[in-house]
Amino acid sequence: MKRYSLLIIFAATLTMSCNKFLDTPTPKTEVVDELVFNNDKNATAAVTGLYISMNALNYQWANVMMNFVAGIHADEVYYVSPYEDYDVFGQARLLPNSTYVERFWNSIYGYIYTTNACVEGLTATTGVTPALKDQLLGEAHFMRAYFYFYLVNMYGDVPLVLTTDYRVSQSLPREKTEVVYNQVVQDLKTAKQLLGDNYPNGNRVRPNKTAASALLSRVYLYRHEYALAEAEASAVIGNGNYALLQNLNNVFLANSREAIFQLQSVNVAGGRNTWEANVGVPAGATGGPLFRLDTVNLIPKFEAGDARLANWTATRMVGSATIYWATKYKVRNSTPVQENTMLLRVGEQFLIRAEARIRQNNLTDGRSDLDSIRLRANLPVLSTALNQDQLLLAVEQERKFELFAEWGHRWFDLKRTHRASAVLGPIKGANWQATDTLYPIPSYARSTNINLSQNEGYK
């Protein structure tokens, strides 16, 4: 049996932003007499430590990067002042040695290392209560799928690392995106089998069976398996534990009924809630936040009367300019915590099912799902005269205004529907190439693994 100490697994997670991809040395300091998976308490700490790390100690990946920097890469967000590390995203000037190209890669593979350690350790142990073992294994499989989903959408073909053995992982070549997606689906199906309907401790801050269905619906949509996407989304929408909340200001509250899976805010000194509010909402009555909403390509495009503009954005004058910022998360500081970072929510499931139905030529039911989102935003229902192409464009628009500044949805949507060049090309200017829909493979990763090829456009 392989033995992992709490020290090793947490060290791997907490230092991942400094570690280099697939260059993890053989552990030198194992606490052999206190195995991390030798009892319920230690095994639970190993898995839940991953969520704490994502939200509290490496927010550059989990929160700020995927909510805001991915928005800069699309047409939603800009940074308050010139800053090269962010400007390269907005101006389509990414290079293999760009700072956040490497940080994304290192961070996610660090998390994958931890999930692999949990899968291996939990599979081998006999010291954990069977029901808890299933729950924790299900969470580890879910999280591995979650991380690989983002890897393939950011970088395309990537190494598929399913072991903690560095002798295997250090020289792995890139695997085709469809092969990685196959693993994602397999992990999510495993998670559905192992996870229960309820949340441990009652809070929606660890994945359950419904979270696995929700992510599966998204994956099936991206893979053009529309009947499967519809079925998984319907399972979520039909679950009475969840609801499309009519009050937009309640959606992102901790444990809201719209939440399927959130990251629990870690209440540090000063009562910080989410990193999204911490960097996206002004600290005082003057000035503006670091990340602001695009006042050319996003804000003016909202329909008149859209309640999302009124409730999920805010504005003020800074100098002679009117600035906007996202207020999906409104609370910078409070004790106790009021808001958690949202990873999966019911609103997205309606949009997934709408698109899946429309692509299967079920226009009536697909339009009805879109109308559910529009009515919640105080907008009129769509015309029954719209054809399939017009309804698919309506899906794109509703996703833009419902999911802005959330986890790279806009960028991924434009890419997966082959609309990126048409929409982003005129915005990004002369630097834009069709290959900019993927990040380059980081220079350091390729220098330490000669089997890693480079994405087109960056050679």
Side-chain angles (χ1 to χ4, degrees), residues 256-267:
S256 80
R257 286 193 67 204
E258 184 154 337
I260 300 169
F261 177 36
Q262 298 177 315
L263 287 179
Q264 185 168 15
S265 295
V266 180
N267 201 337

Side-chain angles (χ1 to χ4, degrees), residues 160-273:
L160 183 58
V161 183
L162 302 174
T163 177
T164 58
D165 189 341
Y166 80 100
R167 292 165 297 184
V168 173
S169 61
Q170 65 182 350
S171 59
L172 286 175
R174 298 169 69 190
E175 196 62 81
K176 292 294 185 183
T177 295
E178 282 308 301
V179 174
V180 180
Y181 264 136
N182 289 342
Q183 181 62 47
V184 169
V185 170
Q186 180 179 323
D187 273 336
L188 290 174
K189 287 182 175 179
T190 299
K192 277 188 68 175
Q193 292 173 350
L194 294 172
L195 293 170
D197 294 320
N198 298 323
Y199 294 93
N201 302 322
N203 297 314
R204 301 183 180 201
V205 294
R206 289 165 62 183
N208 66 349
K209 187 185 297 290
T210 303
S213 282
L215 187 53
L216 261 176
S217 73
R218 184 195 297 177
V219 171
Y220 285 140
L221 183 74
Y222 277 49
R223 296 188 71 176
H224 314 298
E225 297 177 281
Y226 300 121
L228 293 173
E230 179 184 0
E232 294 292 347
S234 291
V236 176
I237 293 168
N239 188 324
N241 292 322
Y242 306 90
L244 186 69
L245 296 182
Q246 297 307 302
N247 186 337
L248 291 169
N249 291 314
N250 291 341
V251 171
F252 293 86
L253 294 179
N255 302 309
S256 80
R257 286 193 67 204
E258 184 154 337
I260 300 169
F261 177 36
Q262 298 177 315
L263 287 179
Q264 185 168 15
S265 295
V266 180
N267 201 337
V268 296
R272 191 201 77 227
N273 276 218

Side-chain angles (χ1 to χ4, degrees), residues 70-88:
I72 294 174
H73 194 79
D75 56 355
E76 303 177 310
V77 177
Y78 69 97
Y79 193 63
V80 62
S81 61
Y83 180 53
E84 181 65 14
D85 287 347
Y86 296 153
D87 291 345
V88 292

Side-chain angles (χ1 to χ4, degrees), residues 1 6 33-46 121-122 125-129 132-133 136:
M1 170 181 172
L6 282 167
D33 60 345
E34 188 178 353
L35 302 183
V36 83
F37 301 107
N38 68 342
N39 60 50
D40 290 0
K41 180 180 179 181
N42 286 348
T44 300
L122 286 163
T125 188
T126 58
V128 178
T129 303
L132 178 62
K133 179 176 177 177
L136 296 175

Side-chain angles (χ1 to χ4, degrees), residues 404-417:
F404 70 88
E406 285 187 60
W407 290 94
H409 281 293
R410 174 64 171 167
W411 171 32
F412 293 170
D413 284 344
L414 292 174
K415 178 169 57 175
R416 69 180 175 82
T417 58

